[in-house]
């Protein structure tokens, strides 16, 4: 039997998730191709000539997203036609669902209908927690529940440099008198709730407690945040893309990572925080409540007024325990290795019967 040949679509060039999965799949003898051209036509002559056994989708909306409903529908028809061809020639379709909808909230109702159709076409669906599996089955009306698998999101331990101590990290950020630092790190988008985080933090009015916000945002959102923080010296906003080698400065300077998401299914940022041994302040939504739990941080109900504020107050009251909570998070997440993840992903690629529908990571 020839080695399995897999194509990842689309390709996230700056995200270590796919890079690490590809590396570990290749170590198992799987041939993996990636394409930087994430255009609307993915069945290019190069793809057809390579004759893959599996096409593994990690998101769908880049292939048909448009603010214009007619263009959105036409792009999906083209996308749908390519799916029909895949099924006709026997190429397996795998779908890892990281989000239930696009982050721009464009044509959400139409997109949900498209996702329902895609779920029918998919040979297997991968989610990163039991809660996500249940949500996907309900949201996309997946009748064949046995084709939805749960595999825990692997850790990022040893992927990023982590050799700087807290004191040095805080000196580099120019915050040397802090008793506690909250951190928001990563791409800043509307659904991540950073403006609400700033409003909540301002109400804390705690001496020597700081908030660091580091990440790239749109020009409009950057201006909004700069306006919000201009009268608050305890908030340090560092706009722009955070390079891999700089990430450890922020992670080691902070005591807790705040993830004030309005809407979330799976969060790689939570896994990152746990990989660096940090406590989390986050909404009780999606995989977060399952992965972090109340032992790993301070979870809140985002539907309740001032719940984020109260969660941060709770973290401040337990500041002497934050390192212990962070150490617990690291012990939990280090059980979810990329080797195990790749092996289980390969089993899903090869899955042909209902008997292995309960494939799971070591800890879920």
């Amino acid at each position: 039997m020839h080695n399995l040949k897999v194509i990842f679509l689309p390709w996230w060039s700056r995200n270590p998730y796919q890079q690490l999965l590809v590396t570990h799949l290749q170590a198992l003898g799987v041939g993996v191709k990636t394409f930087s051209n994430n255009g609307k036509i993915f069945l290019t002559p190069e793809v057809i000539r390579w004759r893959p056994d599996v096409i593994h989708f990690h998101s769908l909306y880049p292939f048909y997203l448009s603010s214009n409903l007619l263009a959105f529908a036409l792009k999906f028809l083209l996308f749908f036609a390519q799916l029909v061809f895949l099924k006709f020639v026997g190429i397996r379709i795998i779908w890892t669902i990281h989000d239930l909808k696009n982050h721009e909230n464009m044509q959400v109702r139409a997109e949900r209908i498209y996702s329902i159709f895609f779920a029918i076409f998919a040979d297997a669906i991968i989610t990163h927690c039991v809660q996500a599996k249940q949500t996907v089955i309900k949201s996309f009306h997946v009748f064949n529940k046995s084709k939805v698998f749960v595999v825990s999101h692997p850790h990022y331990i040893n992927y990023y440099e982590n050799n700087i101590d807290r004191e040095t990290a805080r000196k580099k950020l120019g915050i040397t008198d802090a008793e506690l630092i909250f951190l928001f790190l990563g791409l800043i988008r509307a659904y991540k709730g950073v403006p609400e985080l700033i409003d909540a933090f301002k109400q804390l009015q705690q001496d020597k407690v700081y908030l660091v916000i580091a990440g790239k945002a749109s020009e409009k959102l950057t201006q909004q945040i700069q306006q919000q923080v201009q009268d608050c010296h305890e908030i340090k906003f560092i706009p722009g893309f955070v390079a891999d080698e700089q990430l450890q400065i922020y992670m080691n300077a902070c005591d807790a990572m705040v993830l004030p998401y309005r809407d979330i299914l799976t969060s790689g940022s939570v896994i990152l925080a746990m990989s660096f041994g940090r406590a989390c302040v986050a909404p009780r939504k999606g995989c977060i409540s399952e992965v972090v739990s109340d032992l790993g941080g301070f979870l809140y109900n985002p539907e309740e007024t001032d719940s984020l504020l109260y969660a941060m107050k709770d973290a401040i009251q337990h500041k002497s325990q934050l390192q212990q909570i962070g150490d617990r998070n690291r012990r939990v997440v280090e059980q979810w290795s990329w080797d195990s993840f790749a092996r289980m992903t390969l089993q899903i690629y090869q899955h042909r019967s209902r008997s292995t529908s309960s494939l799971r990571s070591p800890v879920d």
Side-chain angles (χ1 to χ4, degrees):
M1 180 180 177
H2 74 285
N3 288 347
L4 209 66
K5 296 162 73 174
V6 180
I7 289 177
F8 275 25
L9 292 174
W11 176 242
W12 304 331
S13 58
R14 286 184 169 178
N15 192 319
Y17 177 98
Q18 288 185 327
Q19 297 170 13
L20 287 164
L21 179 53
V22 167
T23 298
H24 286 81
L25 283 172
Q26 289 173 336
L28 297 175
V30 180
V32 185
K33 270 189 178 292
T34 61
F35 296 91
S36 58
N37 178 19
N38 294 324
K40 307 305 175 272
I41 299 178
F42 59 81
L43 279 179
T44 61
E46 184 180 5
V47 170
I48 295 172
R49 281 196 300 270
W50 198 57
R51 300 179 66 182
D53 302 287
V54 173
I55 293 189
H56 188 162
F57 289 90
H58 290 268
S59 61
L60 308 181
Y61 56 84
F63 297 103
Y64 52 71
L65 192 63
S66 174
S67 58
N68 180 282
L69 184 57
L70 178 60
F72 191 82
L74 291 174
K75 288 177 180 178
F76 182 77
L77 287 175
L78 176 59
F79 181 68
F80 186 79
Q82 295 173 87
L83 294 181
V84 171
F85 177 81
L86 293 183
K87 298 297 287 186
F88 178 75
V89 299
I91 296 174
R92 303 199 75 220
I93 300 172
I94 309 297
W95 182 19
T96 295
I97 302 182
H98 300 275
D99 304 288
L100 293 177
K101 59 183 179 179
N102 70 84
H103 296 314
E104 284 71 29
N105 281 325
M106 292 184 187
Q107 316 296 349
V108 173
R109 290 184 179 179
E111 183 183 28
R112 182 168 176 269
I113 295 171
Y114 297 167
S115 296
I116 292 171
F117 273 107
F118 193 87
I120 294 171
F121 272 75
D123 293 284
I125 295 171
I126 298 173
T127 62
H128 286 317
C129 70
V130 174
Q131 177 63 46
K133 174 178 177 175
Q134 294 169 346
T135 301
V136 164
I137 289 172
K138 181 178 179 180
S139 299
F140 300 151
H141 303 293
V142 182
F143 297 109
N144 182 7
K145 299 177 183 179
S146 67
K147 72 176 182 180
V148 184
F149 300 86
V150 176
V151 189
S152 294
H153 191 310
H155 62 70
Y156 292 118
I157 297 171
N158 297 327
Y159 179 80
Y160 297 99
E161 290 183 23
N162 187 14
N163 49 34
I164 190 172
D165 60 65
R166 175 168 296 182
E167 183 181 359
T168 304
R170 291 186 171 185
K171 282 182 180 178
K172 287 182 177 291
L173 293 180
I175 307 174
T176 55
D177 65 337
E179 291 184 2
L180 191 152
I181 295 178
F182 290 111
L183 171 69
F184 176 93
L185 178 72
L187 187 63
I188 303 171
R189 305 176 85 163
Y191 78 95
K192 293 187 176 182
V194 173
E196 292 91 331
L197 168 60
I198 294 170
D199 289 339
F201 180 82
K202 284 182 174 181
Q203 296 178 61
L204 287 174
Q205 297 182 338
Q206 291 276 342
D207 189 36
K208 296 185 179 180
V209 174
Y210 290 82
L211 169 63
V212 175
I213 301 169
K216 185 177 181 180
S218 66
E219 184 177 349
K220 180 180 178 180
L221 195 51
T222 298
Q223 291 174 352
Q224 178 185 346
I225 294 171
Q226 287 173 334
Q227 187 173 6
Q228 278 186 286
V229 305
Q230 64 183 357
D231 61 342
C232 185
H233 298 296
E234 288 77 26
I235 301 178
K236 192 175 186 68
F237 176 41
I238 307 170
F241 178 74
V242 178
D244 286 357
E245 59 271 17
Q246 297 294 312
L247 191 141
Q248 67 161 331
I249 296 174
Y250 298 101
M251 296 303 302
N252 286 316
C254 80
D255 298 279
M257 194 161 174
V258 190
L259 304 108
Y261 298 159
R262 300 172 189 165
D263 192 41
I264 192 69
L265 183 68
T266 302
S267 173
S269 294
V270 166
I271 302 298
L272 176 65
M274 296 174 73
S275 298
F276 272 87
R278 292 292 169 262
C280 298
V281 178
R284 199 182 297 276
K285 289 180 75 77
C287 290
I288 291 178
S289 57
E290 197 171 312
V291 171
V292 177
S293 82
D294 291 312
L295 297 175
F298 306 87
L299 304 184
Y300 62 92
N301 182 353
E303 308 302 325
E304 294 180 358
T305 304
D306 293 332
S307 56
L308 172 57
L309 169 63
Y310 294 136
M312 287 194 289
K313 282 185 175 180
D314 197 14
I316 294 170
Q317 291 171 1
H318 293 85
K319 62 184 178 183
S320 63
Q321 301 172 33
L322 292 181
Q323 187 57 59
Q324 181 181 349
I325 294 171
D327 291 342
R328 175 265 175 197
N329 281 343
R330 182 181 168 104
R331 288 194 300 271
V332 169
V333 80
E334 68 186 3
Q335 299 174 74
W336 304 328
S337 72
W338 285 95
D339 178 65
S340 173
F341 184 50
R343 290 180 185 279
M344 300 190 75
T345 301
L346 176 55
Q347 290 180 52
I348 293 169
Y349 290 161
Q350 298 169 330
H351 172 62
R352 290 291 178 182
S353 67
R354 299 173 63 90
S355 60
T356 57
S357 61
S358 60
L359 281 171
R360 296 282 295 277
S361 288
V363 178
D364 284 315

